[in-house]
Amino acid sequence: MTTLNLTVPDMACAACADTITKAVKSLDSNASIQADPKTKQVAVATTQNPEQIKQAIANAGYTVQT
């Protein structure tokens, strides 16, 4: 399992965090996701390829920085 620490500067609220969580869960239903709109940080513990996780968040409409 890999833990990714990502910055999502346009995550503004709890609804954004939920959308990001759902996007990641669509790829890896067992992923552990901590999304904090206040700090703009998303921590994802996953077995999936990191690039696929980033792409899923981007496809949900958010900018991903590492």
Side-chain angles (χ1 to χ4, degrees), residues 14-36:
C16 296
D18 287 343
T19 301
I20 290 167
T21 298
K22 286 177 186 162
V24 173
K25 291 274 190 184
S26 72
L27 274 183
D28 181 356
S29 60
N30 295 319
S32 171
I33 302 122
Q34 301 277 327
D36 186 346

